[in-house]
Amino acid sequence: GAVVSQHPSRVICKSGTSVKIECRSLDFQATTMFWYRQFPKQSLMLMATSNEGSKATYEQGVEKDKFLINHASLTLSTLTVTSAHPEDSSFYICSARVALDGELFFGEGSRLTVL
Amino acid sequence: AQKVTQAQTEISVVEKEDVTLDCVYETRDTTYYLFWYKQPPSGELVFLIRRNSFDEQNEISGRYSWNFQKSTSSFNFTITASQVVDSAVYFCALSGTGGFKTIFGAGTRLFVKA
């Protein structure tokens, strides 16, 4: 099946720094990728839809300036958590589809801890 | 608006028992897709099944089976003869035609005891 790779899998940073998480589709082109956030023992909450070559579409309540999403190519989307604070600590997961109505493939997830 | 409800927060069974995880969804789309994912303690999401709204056939894959009932907007998942390795959080998800965003239910945490 299609593979989506996320990097880094774990990151620890100091409060106030910015962290970039990469999401790559390894064997297919993804015009659309999705970024989710998951708090411990909770469900996945959709943060934004990342569109190749255009601006991301953010869900209500998600701060665009805090969570910068860039989808520069058909195989790479990045999420940058700017000026991270402890409350940004979470599990971030990206996903991509092969086709609009197709299966959603997930990356391995990135666990962010902000000290 | 779309919504996925997994009313069972946690289920605990003994190995070899059968267990059914419930999923009820809401959508106004006539074309939509339903999914089940497994999330083991490692955190990765494992795809289990995708079903489109026009295919109400039930499916069986080994010990797993799914019952899709449009009349009750349900897409339930049954594990037969459960095993300890089935212990995980299981998510039901819905993808409609509006941007094909996928939303997830709250998840059901399954504990299978030896």
Side-chain angles (χ1 to χ4, degrees):
Chain A
V3 178
V4 175
S5 178
Q6 227 176 300
H7 177 79
S9 57
R10 290 180 185 274
V11 57
I12 301 172
C13 69
K14 292 182 180 179
S15 190
T17 60
S18 294
V19 174
K20 180 186 283 188
I21 300 170
E22 293 186 348
C23 178
R24 294 181 184 274
S25 55
L26 297 184
D27 51 0
F28 67 99
Q29 294 184 329
T31 55
T32 303
M33 291 184 174
F34 303 91
W35 286 96
Y36 291 84
R37 181 175 184 177
Q38 186 181 31
F39 290 106
K41 297 192 177 183
Q42 293 191 26
S43 187
L44 285 78
M45 300 302 296
L46 180 64
M47 298 174 65
T49 302
S50 173
N51 304 299
E52 188 269 335
S54 64
K55 291 182 180 180
T57 306
Y58 290 82
E59 295 300 300
Q60 194 171 12
V62 177
E63 297 177 61
K64 301 177 184 181
D65 296 330
K66 160 68 81 174
F67 300 102
L68 299 179
I69 292 172
N70 184 276
H71 196 149
S73 77
L74 286 170
T75 59
L76 174 65
S77 176
T78 60
L79 167 67
T80 301
V81 183
T82 62
S83 187
H85 292 286
E87 58 266 29
D88 298 325
S89 298
S90 191
F91 192 54
Y92 294 89
I93 310 174
C94 73
S95 65
R97 295 183 192 281
V98 174
L100 266 182
D101 61 346
E103 175 187 335
L104 198 62
F105 294 94
F106 284 88
E108 307 93 328
S110 300
R111 192 168 299 282
L112 170 64
T113 302
V114 185
L115 303 175
Chain B
Q2 297 186 130
K3 187 178 179 182
V4 177
T5 302
Q6 293 180 257
Q8 304 150 306
T9 306
E10 289 187 2
I11 300 176
S12 185
V13 299
V14 177
E15 214 172 15
K16 297 183 184 178
E17 281 186 24
D18 298 346
V19 58
T20 295
L21 309 181
D22 297 332
C23 174
V24 174
Y25 63 92
E26 292 177 33
T27 180
R28 292 181 181 176
D29 291 335
T30 53
T31 301
Y32 53 89
Y33 300 86
L34 295 162
F35 304 82
W36 275 94
Y37 288 88
K38 174 182 180 180
Q39 187 177 41
S42 61
E44 283 189 48
L45 280 160
V46 178
F47 168 81
L48 297 178
I49 190 171
R50 176 178 73 119
R51 173 67 76 232
N52 74 54
S53 52
F54 298 107
D55 182 3
E56 282 194 77
Q57 273 194 330
N58 291 328
E59 181 154 339
I60 299 175
S61 176
R63 296 184 296 109
Y64 296 168
S65 61
W66 291 269
N67 186 333
F68 178 25
Q69 301 265 355
K70 280 182 82 169
S71 60
T72 56
S73 298
S74 65
F75 187 43
N76 296 338
F77 172 34
T78 298
I79 301 175
T80 304
S82 60
Q83 299 176 2
V84 173
V85 293
D86 295 327
S87 297
V89 180
Y90 290 86
F91 290 100
C92 180
L94 167 68
S95 181
T97 51
F100 287 92
K101 295 185 293 187
T102 302
I103 61 166
F104 285 78
T108 298
R109 188 173 296 272
L110 175 64
F111 296 98
V112 181
K113 295 179 270 189

